[in-house]
Amino acid sequence: MDQVIQDGLEDQDVVTVAVDPVCLGWIQDKLRLLLYGPSSDWQAWLDKAWQPAAHEQPIAAFLTRLKVCRLLAITYKPDDVNFTMMHELPPKFYRMVYFIKDPTKFITRSNIAQVVQFGVLKAGYLARAVSSASADDAKAPSSDGANDGTAGSMEALLRLVGSVYLPQVINSGSWPDAVRKEFLAYTHRFMANLTEAVHEAQGRTVLYMPAEELAGLSISKAAWDKHLTRRLETTLIYWTRQITNVLNRQDCSDSGQQAGPLVEIEFWRSRSLDLSGIRAQLEGRQVADMVAVLSLAGSSYLAPFLQLKELIQHEAVAAQDNVRFLTCLEEPCKQLSKACPLEIPGLLPQILDRIRMIWCLSRFYNIPERITSLLKRLSNEVINRCSAALRLGDIFTGDVSGPMDILQQSMAAGAAWKSCYERTAAAVGRHCPRPWDFDMGSLYSYIDAFLQRCRDLLEVCEAQLQFAPSTKLPVFSGTRGPEVERNIADIQVAFQGLVKQLKGLKYDILDIKAIQWYDDFNVFKVGVRDLEVMLENVLELALDTAPSLQGTLELLEGFQLIAKRDAVKRAVQKHVSVFYGKFMGEINAAKKHFDLLRRCPPGSPLLPKYAGAARAAATLLRRLEQTHGVLIAVKPMLPSVPEEADALTAYELTHQSMQQFIVNTHTEWFNTIDNSISKQLQDNLLTQDKADRGLLSMNFNPQLLAMSQEVVHWERLRMAVPYIAMEIQAQREKYRVLRDNMLMVVREYNKVLVALDAEERKLFFDRIRALDRRILPGVSKLNWVADKHALEFYYKEARKHCRIADCSVCEFKTGMTKIDTLCKGIAEGLLINVEKKRLYDHTEFEAVQATHHDMAKKRLIAAHAEIKKTLAEVYTHFEADGEDVQREWVKFTVKVDKKVEDALRHTVKRSLHELSRLLTGDSKTEVLPIFRVTLILERNQHVELRPTIQQLFDMTQKVCRDLVTVVQVVARLAQQATPRQLKELEDRGEPPPSHPQTYHQLISSDEEVTLKTIVQISTGITSVVDPVQACLEHFEKRYKKLWDQDKDAYIRRYEKAQKPLSSYEADVTEYMNKAAEIQMEETTANIKFLFVDCGPLKQTLNMHCELWKAKLTNLLNNLAAAELRNLHEYFRNGLEALSKAPQNLEQLAESVGLHRRLVNEKAKTAASFEPLRDKYRMLERFEVQVPDAQLEQLDKLDLAWARFQVGLDEAAARLERSKDAFRDKVKAMLEAFVRDIATMQEEFVRGAPYDAETTTSRQALAFVTRWNNATTSARHKATEIKSGMDIFSIPQPPYKELVQIEKELELLDKMWSLVAEWEGTYSGWKDGLFKDLKVVLHEPAGNKTLPLLVEATSDIAMCAQYKHARIPVCKPVQKPLATWRPSVIGFRFCS
């Protein structure tokens, strides 16, 4: 369908162009001028009236096509809520907003306010003055396109300008000629636009003729005036555009795509008048003069104008001919424009016949395009009339009966239009040479789309019938009835949402060009389909929960009443088929049960054999009849299904077979009744079974009971009963009462016997024998037909004695039960009290158990007394009985005594086992801690457990002994003999029976109960030693150094080692980690039955860690505090020393040196701040409480440092001033010192011991010593002077003379020292005895001294000062050597 509509739109040259949203919004904003009420409501009005399919196409053409220069928004009535967009002026309107643009410019979002002008007209009058603002028409652009000039009509403005202002300008001689000509050019252009607008509003085309341009001028002269010819050409161009626009409007497409044939007729009528008026204007003299001037001037614009002039003549004739032929359609088309859908099919044939006539006879209108357009407009008129008759509001509100009729009639009208066209086209093909071979797809596109729209709306109406809330719902029964109604109501609410979406669509639903309808309707269809599925689900839910087939039928009837759509009807029909299937299943199930009933009659004791089978068959039959009755009642309302006939046939067959079975069963039972059955009433009332403990049973014949039951049920079925059965049944109540009493006697007697075992019967022997004497008559004498009074006396007496015997037995049993309960209480009571999840100290546990043992003793004493009391009360029943009963009583006491012994044994055993289980556990029980012990650090520097394992062991052993001792308070209960037996023993002189052992003696010596369990408890206590020792060793190994090391000695060593800050951090962190590790240690530990509390030990270890941390951080704090104090003292002392003015050069040197040192140490000092702060930051990180005074000093460190730097700068200035005062003094001292050095050198050279002939070694060495002292003094003075020179940055002289003196002194000292040494050695050899000489020893000494002398001689020879004295200097060395070598050689030879 979308393709069909698109083909139709393409045939009509409708091109959809995307509209700029900004431009579209600008135009929509100006449409508020159409609104008459408050401007605040305009947006809501526009949203309601806006139709994108109808409005956006003209706007797109206006914004994108250069030839479309105007856009009109029109309302036709004062109360019209919709408006129409078009390009041509309509003949009539109520209110119009117009938009005019410059045809030479494209419209964009940036220039739309400048290019487009707008205004509003009401009934043909101007509400706002509008002028074109294109670049050619006006040099100054308007501000925003909305001119707010004084209101007046365009026609009045035209008259005012043309008759008043324009003549004044033309005739004025005061204006400069150039200004006047340019002004007239723009004025004439404005007048042309205004003339066109004024007359176009009236439906006419008038050419603006500036007559004054040629006034007083000849044709030839006017042709030579370039400004005049240019203005004439401008006018001619404007006329050409006007005429071209008129000629191009060959149809009334701008009147709207949905316009009818009357619009086409009116168009050609107005076109004929318009063309005639243009033709008349073109034939006027003024136009002829303009043509002559432009022809003489050789204008290139004249030829196209003349061609248009000729074309106007032809088009005017064609328009008149078209009007003459189209007039014949006017009357039937007017009838069609007022017809309802039902009347349309009768009007279409005559209209199509007249169109056929136009096709055959018209000269100009019979072209396919125009006939096709006329047929489409006829199709549009059919659509318009059907749309006008349809009320969409009724569809949306649910009142769809009328709209459905209109839709059916509209569809019939559309089908009639197509059939009439096909008949007319066939007639044209038969009788006209040119057939109607138009494109059927294009011709039928709108009508087919409208018919599809009608079918869609018809589907909406059907959905309203199905889901609208106005649809009356039946009452749904059953427990799910309210839920079904609620679900259907929810579906209706959901449907209202879908309808609300359709109702809220922003476009006209009946507008066939609104193709978005298909998407919206598909959404609606999908929603309705979903609602159908939901309704089917509700149907499924209701039927699934139906209690019976009757309920299913009622639900199907209800849903059939509300089923309007085919899908819902099919769902109901499907479930009707399912119902018949279930009904068939019920019939088959009844047949199956019936067949089983015939094979195996019911065996229930409540139902007899024959009547029970008949009753069962009757029940099955009644069940089928109920369903069948409801089915027959609702069958006319349900749809017919194929399964219906088979189900009803099966029901009839089953019904007949069941009825026949009931009759046959009754006949069979009737024949089984024998007339001699009454003789069975002569049997005795009771029978006694000696083999089964002598129990009684009632002796009433079962056949009589069966017959009685059969009679009751057959009477309920209203069937005949035999006479003998009726007679016996008449005494039915009498026999029933007698049977009940006999049953009471039997039950009470058997109750006494059954309650006693064999030994207990021996105790009750005398009472049972007396009771048998009262029961015997019913067993041997009385029958069912005996005297009524005798029977009544018998069963009353028998029941009385049975009750007496039963009371004695009950009291005995109560006593026995009480004794058993007391023994059970003794056995279940524990002699140990250990609360679950409670921890005991060892002393507390012992005290709790002692308290519990005292309570247990009291409880055992009370129980023993209660048992004795109970035995005494029971004995009262047997006190007067015979000796045999008394002996049985002694046995009975022994039995009770054994029970008490077992109970005591059991409680002791259970208590010991409970304690053993708590300490050692078992396969089902995990050992839980019950004793609280503590790990502590003892004074002996070892981790120990408190209390110790030995203390726990002793405590548990004592508790076990006390536990067994508790049973000493219970005495024995057994009697040794009867009073008669004791008297006989006494009479015979024999001693009475000995007393048995006490309960305590028996139980304490029982190895199985007591001794083994105590051994297990001891083993459990000792088994915890190894785990406890492992726990102790764990803490010893991991944390022993925390308490084992001398902290003060370690800190002293730490301080002497001057560890770096990282060492402090590492060590403190280590102890913190150790503390965290200690914290991570389990505070408590469960070691079997011990709850080990490690908290005290952890607390002690944490105290040691904190102590280590405190000592380390205190040391760090002390060091940081000392460093901080030293810094402040450093700053203070340095500034104080520098603040003193130097009094001499030494003090100046000291101050300058101190200042230089402090300046040089600035970087080092500043670098020490951050390590110091790091120390305090570390102290803060370790949460050490630093004294406020230190923190204050640390905070003031930067301030002190800044002051120190300022002080250094100030000291530098002061020292500079002092140096200026001492600089000349230093220079004078330096010059004097240099002169003294030169003098020293001269004196040294004159007195140096160069000559060995005149100087001895002693004198030479004394000289060297004296001058060494002198050079040392000179060097000291040079150092003093240098300190002053350094102050003033004076370079120190090399002091070459002093250096030379020092070097010569060194050589002289070396040489004369060797000489003195040789002389001493040689004098010893020389003055000694020759025989004492040791040549072997002397020769190495000489060899050692000789090289040294040679080296000294060489050094002296190298000095320039000694070159002149080389020989004298060497003589002291050469002479000893010359004398020493021959002596050595001679001595060696002699040797």
Side-chain angles (χ1 to χ4, degrees):
M1 183 57 66
D2 294 345
Q3 185 61 38
V4 174
I5 293 178
Q6 187 64 32
D7 294 343
L9 294 177
E10 291 176 356
D11 292 340
Q12 296 187 11
D13 296 330
V14 177
V15 180
T16 303
V17 181
V19 181
D20 190 327
V22 176
C23 299
L24 180 62
W26 187 88
I27 291 177
Q28 288 178 337
D29 183 67
K30 304 303 180 284
L31 291 178
R32 70 173 68 187
L33 297 173
L34 287 174
L35 192 63
Y36 322 116
S39 60
S40 60
D41 299 336
W42 77 273
Q43 188 62 49
W45 168 80
L46 182 63
D47 292 341
K48 183 176 180 181
W50 184 259
Q51 299 179 11
H55 295 158
E56 290 184 3
Q57 180 183 341
I59 294 175
F62 173 73
L63 295 175
T64 58
R65 298 182 184 177
L66 292 177
K67 293 183 179 180
V68 181
C69 300
R70 65 180 65 85
L71 177 66
L72 308 176
I74 297 170
T75 58
Y76 296 97
K77 294 181 293 185
D79 57 347
D80 197 352
V81 296
N82 296 320
F83 63 92
T84 303
M85 302 292 294
M86 60 179 60
H87 298 145
E88 299 299 330
L89 286 172
K92 295 180 180 180
F93 62 89
Y94 175 73
R95 194 175 182 90
M96 176 177 69
V97 174
Y98 60 86
F99 301 89
I100 303 174
K101 72 174 182 180
D102 181 4
T104 63
K105 292 188 176 181
F106 287 100
I107 297 175
T108 64
R109 62 173 64 183
S110 60
N111 68 357
I112 185 172
Q114 288 75 32
V115 174
V116 178
Q117 305 296 319
F118 68 94
V120 61
L121 290 174
K122 182 177 180 182
Y125 292 98
L126 184 65
R128 294 181 180 226
V130 181
S131 63
S132 176
S134 63
D136 294 336
D137 296 342
K139 297 297 183 181
S142 61
S143 60
D144 59 352
N147 300 318
D148 296 328
T150 58
S153 69
M154 288 191 297
E155 189 174 359
L157 179 63
L158 180 62
R159 288 196 303 269
L160 182 63
V161 175
S163 60
V164 178
Y165 296 109
L166 192 58
Q168 292 180 3
V169 175
I170 294 174
N171 299 325
S172 175
S174 60
W175 287 37
D177 189 56
V179 174
R180 185 178 65 82
K181 289 180 180 180
E182 185 173 1
F183 177 78
L184 287 177
Y186 285 113
T187 304
H188 287 318
R189 191 175 302 172
F190 169 75
M191 290 297 292
N193 288 331
L194 185 60
T195 302
E196 181 184 7
V198 168
H199 294 90
E200 189 175 18
Q202 300 173 0
R204 296 184 296 111
T205 302
V206 177
L207 304 178
Y208 172 69
M209 298 181 181
E212 66 278 359
E213 295 288 351
L214 299 177
L217 294 176
S218 63
I219 298 300
S220 59
K221 187 176 181 179
W224 285 100
D225 190 347
K226 293 183 178 180
H227 291 284
L228 177 61
T229 56
R230 189 178 296 115
R231 291 198 301 272
L232 293 177
E233 284 180 343
T234 302
T235 303
L236 190 66
I237 291 171
Y238 198 87
W239 287 356
T240 302
R241 183 185 63 78
Q242 281 186 278
I243 295 171
T244 301
N245 290 338
V246 172
L247 293 177
N248 288 338
R249 290 198 295 270
Q250 295 292 330
D251 54 30
C252 56
S253 58
D254 292 336
S255 299
Q257 298 296 330
Q258 300 298 326
L262 289 177
V263 176
E264 182 78 6
I265 297 171
E266 185 63 28
F267 167 77
W268 285 107
R269 183 176 286 119
S270 62
R271 179 177 175 81
S272 177
L273 295 175
D274 193 19
L275 292 174
S276 299
I278 295 173
R279 183 174 58 182
Q281 294 177 66
L282 294 177
E283 292 174 355
R285 180 184 174 186
Q286 196 171 6
V287 175
D289 292 343
M290 291 178 61
V291 169
V293 171
L294 293 176
S295 177
L296 186 61
S299 175
S300 61
Y301 298 104
L302 184 60
F305 175 75
L306 295 177
Q307 292 177 0
L308 290 175
K309 184 177 178 182
E310 295 177 359
L311 190 58
I312 283 291
Q313 300 289 340
H314 177 269
E315 289 296 328
V317 174
Q320 291 176 357
D321 184 75
N322 291 342
V323 170
R324 183 166 59 88
F325 277 96
L326 290 175
T327 305
C328 66
L329 292 174
E330 189 169 9
E331 184 61 28
C333 287
K334 287 183 178 180
Q335 296 178 6
L336 181 62
S337 65
K338 299 178 182 179
C340 63
L342 192 62
E343 298 171 349
I344 291 175
L347 297 174
L348 291 176
Q350 55 177 324
I351 296 176
L352 287 173
D353 289 341
R354 298 185 184 194
I355 295 174
R356 173 188 169 190
M357 180 267 294
I358 295 172
W359 172 263
C360 295
L361 302 179
S362 175
R363 291 182 300 162
F364 301 101
Y365 201 83
N366 61 350
I367 60 178
E369 290 79 8
R370 289 177 177 171
I371 295 298
T372 302
S373 176
L374 184 60
L375 291 173
K376 288 182 179 179
R377 295 195 179 279
L378 180 59
S379 174
N380 292 340
E381 188 65 31
V382 174
I383 295 172
N384 292 337
R385 296 318 306 152
C386 294
S387 299
L390 185 62
R391 292 177 296 180
L392 293 177
D394 293 344
I395 296 178
F396 295 137
T397 56
D399 185 11
V400 296
S401 58
M404 290 182 71
D405 294 338
I406 297 297
L407 289 172
Q408 296 289 350
Q409 294 172 8
S410 299
M411 294 170 65
W417 151 247
K418 295 174 70 174
S419 62
C420 288
Y421 169 78
E422 292 172 356
R423 288 197 301 270
T424 305
V428 170
R430 290 194 302 269
H431 302 292
C432 186
R434 291 190 306 156
W436 280 1
D437 53 355
F438 309 141
D439 184 7
M440 303 300 293
S442 174
L443 188 61
Y444 286 164
S445 60
Y446 282 0
I447 193 67
D448 288 341
F450 178 73
L451 293 179
Q452 181 61 40
R453 193 67 52 88
C454 291
R455 285 190 285 270
D456 295 343
L457 292 175
L458 193 61
E459 189 170 352
V460 174
C461 294
E462 293 176 354
Q464 282 280 20
L465 290 176
Q466 180 67 67
F467 299 111
S470 58
T471 303
K472 185 177 180 181
L473 298 178
V475 177
F476 295 99
S477 60
T479 56
R480 290 295 183 95
E483 183 179 358
V484 171
E485 295 176 358
R486 186 167 57 254
N487 291 338
I488 294 177
D490 293 341
I491 293 173
Q492 292 175 346
V493 170
F495 176 74
Q496 287 304 303
L498 296 175
V499 173
K500 187 176 181 181
Q501 291 179 3
L502 289 182
K503 188 177 180 180
L505 294 178
K506 300 299 184 181
Y507 55 86
D508 185 9
I509 293 178
L510 296 176
D511 183 7
I512 58 176
K513 291 184 292 184
I515 59 176
Q516 59 267 42
W517 159 260
Y518 298 103
D519 296 332
D520 296 329
F521 182 69
N522 283 334
V523 172
F524 175 80
K525 286 177 64 177
V526 170
V528 170
R529 202 171 300 121
D530 293 340
L531 293 180
E532 289 176 351
V533 173
M534 292 172 62
L535 187 59
E536 293 175 10
N537 292 336
V538 172
L539 175 59
E540 291 279 357
L541 174 64
L543 294 177
D544 289 343
T545 58
S548 61
L549 291 180
Q550 294 90 332
T552 302
L553 285 173
E554 293 176 359
L555 290 172
L556 288 174
E557 180 186 12
F559 278 100
Q560 180 63 23
L561 291 175
I562 64 174
K564 304 298 181 182
R565 293 179 63 83
D566 294 338
V568 181
K569 291 180 179 179
R570 288 194 298 271
V572 174
Q573 186 177 11
K574 182 185 73 172
H575 285 287
V576 170
S577 300
V578 173
F579 162 76
Y580 278 112
K582 291 182 179 179
F583 186 45
M584 281 292 295
E586 186 171 356
I587 293 173
N588 292 332
K591 290 171 63 178
K592 182 177 180 181
H593 284 292
F594 177 63
D595 293 340
L596 182 61
L597 181 65
R598 287 192 294 186
R599 293 193 301 270
C600 301
S604 173
L606 300 178
L607 293 176
K609 176 180 178 181
Y610 298 99
R615 286 291 298 274
T619 301
L620 294 174
L621 183 60
R622 186 165 55 253
R623 180 179 175 185
L624 294 178
E625 287 175 346
Q626 290 176 353
T627 304
H628 182 262
V630 177
L631 175 60
I632 295 302
V634 302
K635 183 173 174 292
M637 301 297 298
L638 300 179
S640 298
V641 293
E643 295 85 354
E644 177 183 348
D646 296 339
L648 294 177
T649 302
Y651 168 76
E652 293 296 336
L653 295 176
T654 304
H655 187 272
Q656 293 176 5
S657 62
M658 288 184 180
Q659 284 185 334
Q660 186 62 38
F661 173 75
I662 294 172
V663 174
N664 294 340
T665 302
H666 175 263
T667 303
E668 183 179 357
W669 171 74
F670 197 92
N671 295 329
T672 58
I673 301 301
D674 189 3
N675 292 329
S676 62
I677 194 171
S678 59
K679 295 180 180 180
Q680 296 175 357
L681 295 173
Q682 302 295 328
D683 296 337
N684 293 325
L685 295 174
L686 303 172
T687 59
Q688 190 172 23
D689 188 0
K690 297 296 183 179
D692 188 13
R693 297 172 294 176
L695 298 179
L696 293 179
S697 60
M698 187 179 65
N699 189 24
F700 192 81
N701 195 301
Q703 293 182 0
L704 292 174
L705 283 175
M707 184 192 70
S708 177
Q709 290 179 345
E710 292 280 0
V711 170
V712 170
H713 289 286
W714 285 119
E715 286 178 347
R716 291 179 180 175
L717 291 173
R718 299 180 181 180
M719 305 292 284
V721 178
Y723 178 76
I724 186 63
M726 291 178 63
E727 286 184 347
I728 297 174
Q729 189 67 12
Q731 302 294 324
R732 178 190 174 200
E733 185 63 22
K734 169 189 170 183
Y735 294 137
R736 184 192 65 78
V737 173
L738 184 57
R739 278 202 315 275
D740 290 344
N741 286 309
M742 290 300 103
L743 287 175
M744 297 290 287
V745 172
V746 170
R747 183 166 57 251
E748 293 174 359
Y749 179 82
N750 291 342
K751 179 183 176 183
V752 173
L753 295 185
V754 171
L756 301 173
D757 57 18
E759 294 181 357
E760 291 171 346
R761 285 190 185 183
K762 296 178 181 178
L763 278 174
F764 286 88
F765 177 77
D766 293 344
R767 284 167 176 75
I768 293 174
R769 187 172 53 185
L771 183 59
D772 288 341
R773 289 196 295 268
R774 297 293 181 179
I775 297 300
L776 188 59
V779 177
S780 58
K781 296 180 180 180
L782 298 175
N783 56 29
W784 297 97
V785 293
D787 182 62
K788 176 181 179 182
H789 299 288
L791 293 173
E792 184 176 357
F793 175 78
Y794 168 72
Y795 66 70
K796 285 183 179 181
E797 285 294 321
R799 290 190 62 190
K800 182 178 72 171
H801 287 85
C802 287
R803 284 194 294 270
I804 294 172
D806 184 57
C807 289
S808 299
V809 173
C810 289
E811 290 178 1
F812 173 77
K813 287 294 183 181
T814 302
M816 290 299 299
T817 303
K818 188 175 182 180
I819 292 173
D820 291 339
T821 303
L822 292 171
C823 291
K824 184 178 180 182
I826 293 172
E828 292 179 352
L830 286 176
L831 301 180
I832 183 172
N833 180 21
V834 180
E835 296 183 15
K836 290 184 178 180
K837 299 182 180 179
R838 179 180 174 183
L839 298 174
Y840 298 91
D841 294 334
H842 72 293
T843 56
E844 179 188 7
F845 184 78
E846 186 176 358
V848 169
Q849 302 312 315
T851 303
H852 183 69
H853 292 163
D854 293 338
M855 295 175 60
K857 289 178 181 180
K858 295 177 181 179
R859 189 176 65 252
L860 292 177
I861 292 172
H864 181 267
E866 189 67 25
I867 291 173
K868 289 183 66 176
K869 179 181 176 183
T870 303
L871 286 175
E873 293 174 353
V874 172
Y875 183 65
T876 57
H877 296 285
F878 309 105
E879 189 174 5
D881 291 345
E883 180 63 20
D884 294 337
V885 175
Q886 297 301 321
R887 291 180 180 179
E888 291 298 327
W889 174 255
V890 171
K891 295 179 182 179
F892 176 72
T893 59
V894 173
K895 180 179 178 182
V896 172
D897 182 75
K898 182 62 176 174
K899 287 183 179 181
V900 174
E901 179 185 346
D902 293 340
L904 291 173
R905 191 185 304 275
H906 184 270
T907 187
V908 171
K909 180 179 180 180
R910 189 160 166 265
S911 300
L912 292 174
H913 273 288
E914 179 66 18
L915 181 57
S916 175
R917 185 182 63 81
L918 291 173
L919 296 177
T920 61
D922 54 22
S923 60
K924 297 181 179 179
T925 306
E926 182 182 1
V927 179
L928 297 177
I930 57 175
F931 296 122
R932 182 192 301 273
V933 294
T934 305
L935 284 180
I936 60 174
L937 184 62
E938 290 290 353
R939 295 183 182 275
N940 59 1
Q941 302 299 319
H942 290 288
V943 180
E944 294 186 2
L945 191 70
R946 288 292 181 270
T948 63
I949 301 300
Q950 184 61 41
Q951 291 173 338
L952 292 175
F953 180 82
D954 296 340
M955 181 268 296
T956 53
Q957 291 296 317
K958 183 176 182 303
V959 169
C960 292
R961 290 193 300 272
D962 294 343
L963 183 150
V964 179
T965 309
V966 171
V967 299
Q968 286 181 343
V969 299
V970 182
R972 302 301 294 261
L973 294 172
Q975 295 181 9
Q976 301 302 316
T978 64
R980 184 175 176 178
Q981 290 175 335
L982 292 175
K983 187 177 181 181
E984 291 177 352
L985 289 174
E986 184 180 356
D987 292 341
R988 290 197 298 268
E990 296 178 2
S994 61
H995 295 286
Q997 290 181 325
T998 64
Y999 294 131
H1000 176 259
Q1001 293 173 344
L1002 292 173
I1003 294 172
S1004 61
S1005 61
D1006 191 340
E1007 181 179 359
E1008 186 67 28
V1009 174
T1010 305
L1011 300 180
K1012 286 185 177 181
T1013 309
I1014 293 176
V1015 171
Q1016 291 178 359
I1017 292 172
S1018 301
T1019 304
I1021 292 292
T1022 57
S1023 65
V1024 80
V1025 173
D1026 292 339
V1028 168
Q1029 188 62 33
C1031 181
L1032 298 178
E1033 291 176 357
H1034 167 76
F1035 283 98
E1036 287 274 356
K1037 290 179 180 179
R1038 298 191 66 176
Y1039 307 110
K1040 186 174 182 179
K1041 74 173 186 176
L1042 292 177
W1043 67 80
D1044 199 40
Q1045 191 174 7
D1046 188 354
K1047 298 178 180 61
D1048 295 332
Y1050 180 82
I1051 292 299
R1052 288 193 296 272
R1053 292 194 301 273
Y1054 204 91
E1055 183 177 5
K1056 290 180 181 179
Q1058 295 183 356
K1059 296 291 185 69
L1061 185 61
S1062 58
S1063 298
Y1064 285 92
E1065 182 178 9
D1067 291 340
V1068 175
T1069 304
E1070 179 184 0
Y1071 286 111
M1072 291 178 66
N1073 293 337
K1074 187 67 71 174
E1077 184 180 349
I1078 293 170
Q1079 287 298 117
M1080 293 300 293
E1081 292 285 352
E1082 295 290 339
T1083 305
T1084 60
N1086 295 338
I1087 303 178
K1088 294 188 177 181
F1089 56 85
L1090 295 181
F1091 178 82
V1092 182
D1093 185 6
C1094 304
L1097 178 60
K1098 288 177 61 178
Q1099 185 177 2
T1100 303
L1101 295 179
N1102 277 325
M1103 289 174 58
H1104 281 283
C1105 290
E1106 290 296 328
L1107 187 58
W1108 277 111
K1109 175 185 173 184
K1111 286 185 176 296
L1112 288 172
T1113 54
N1114 287 338
L1115 176 60
L1116 180 61
N1117 189 12
N1118 295 333
L1119 294 176
E1123 186 177 351
L1124 183 60
R1125 286 194 304 273
N1126 292 336
L1127 281 174
H1128 281 280
E1129 291 176 359
Y1130 175 79
F1131 297 154
R1132 185 171 59 253
N1133 296 334
L1135 293 178
E1136 288 178 356
L1138 292 175
S1139 64
K1140 298 177 181 178
Q1143 302 298 324
N1144 50 41
L1145 188 61
E1146 184 178 359
Q1147 292 180 0
L1148 178 63
E1150 290 178 359
S1151 298
V1152 171
L1154 175 62
H1155 181 270
R1156 184 180 296 111
R1157 179 173 60 82
L1158 293 178
V1159 171
N1160 293 334
E1161 291 176 355
K1162 281 175 62 176
K1164 180 181 178 182
T1165 304
S1168 66
F1169 294 168
E1170 192 60 28
L1172 178 61
R1173 289 192 176 95
D1174 289 341
K1175 293 177 182 178
Y1176 279 100
R1177 279 195 288 268
M1178 183 179 294
L1179 291 174
E1180 181 182 2
R1181 188 167 70 251
F1182 292 144
E1183 300 178 355
V1184 178
Q1185 189 67 30
V1186 180
D1188 294 339
Q1190 292 185 31
L1191 295 177
E1192 185 177 359
Q1193 284 186 337
L1194 184 64
D1195 294 338
K1196 293 179 179 179
L1197 183 62
D1198 291 335
L1199 180 60
W1201 172 244
R1203 290 176 179 174
F1204 177 72
Q1205 290 178 315
V1206 172
L1208 289 180
D1209 295 338
E1210 294 175 351
R1214 290 195 301 270
L1215 290 175
E1216 285 296 328
R1217 290 193 297 270
S1218 299
K1219 286 191 291 185
D1220 292 339
F1222 283 97
R1223 183 177 288 107
D1224 295 337
K1225 184 177 179 180
V1226 171
K1227 289 181 179 180
M1229 291 176 63
L1230 178 61
E1231 291 175 356
F1233 181 69
V1234 171
R1235 288 195 300 269
D1236 292 342
I1237 293 299
T1239 302
M1240 283 180 64
Q1241 185 183 23
E1242 292 175 358
E1243 294 179 356
F1244 177 77
V1245 171
R1246 286 195 302 268
Y1250 299 134
D1251 190 1
E1253 298 294 335
T1254 61
T1255 305
T1256 62
S1257 60
R1258 182 178 297 177
Q1259 293 174 344
L1261 291 175
F1263 178 84
V1264 169
T1265 301
R1266 186 173 64 253
W1267 277 95
N1268 279 333
N1269 295 330
T1271 57
T1272 302
S1273 299
R1275 282 293 178 186
H1276 180 69
K1277 188 172 183 180
T1279 302
E1280 292 180 355
I1281 296 174
K1282 184 179 183 300
S1283 61
M1285 295 168 61
D1286 292 339
I1287 295 173
F1288 305 108
S1289 300
I1290 299 174
Q1292 183 180 14
Y1295 301 131
K1296 296 180 179 179
E1297 295 84 355
L1298 183 60
V1299 172
Q1300 189 65 38
I1301 292 172
E1302 290 173 347
K1303 186 173 181 182
E1304 290 179 4
L1305 285 173
E1306 182 181 358
L1307 293 174
L1308 289 172
D1309 181 61
K1310 182 178 180 181
M1311 184 185 69
W1312 285 108
S1313 296
L1314 290 174
V1315 171
E1317 182 182 356
W1318 173 253
E1319 287 178 349
T1321 303
Y1322 185 75
S1323 296
W1325 295 344
K1326 181 179 68 172
D1327 296 335
L1329 296 179
F1330 186 78
K1331 65 178 182 180
D1332 295 333
L1333 291 175
K1334 303 292 184 182
V1335 178
V1336 180
L1337 298 175
H1338 296 165
E1339 186 175 2
N1343 292 335
K1344 177 181 178 182
T1345 304
L1346 181 61
L1348 294 175
L1349 289 172
V1350 173
E1351 182 182 357
T1353 302
S1354 299
D1355 291 339
I1356 294 173
M1358 294 299 294
C1359 290
Q1361 291 86 348
Y1362 301 151
K1363 290 182 179 179
H1364 63 281
R1366 182 177 304 171
I1367 296 175
V1369 172
C1370 295
K1371 285 182 179 181
V1373 180
Q1374 294 173 352
K1375 184 178 179 179
L1377 292 176
T1379 58
W1380 174 73
R1381 288 187 178 273
S1383 299
V1384 172
I1385 296 171
F1387 180 77
R1388 184 181 300 165
F1389 176 77
C1390 294
S1391 302

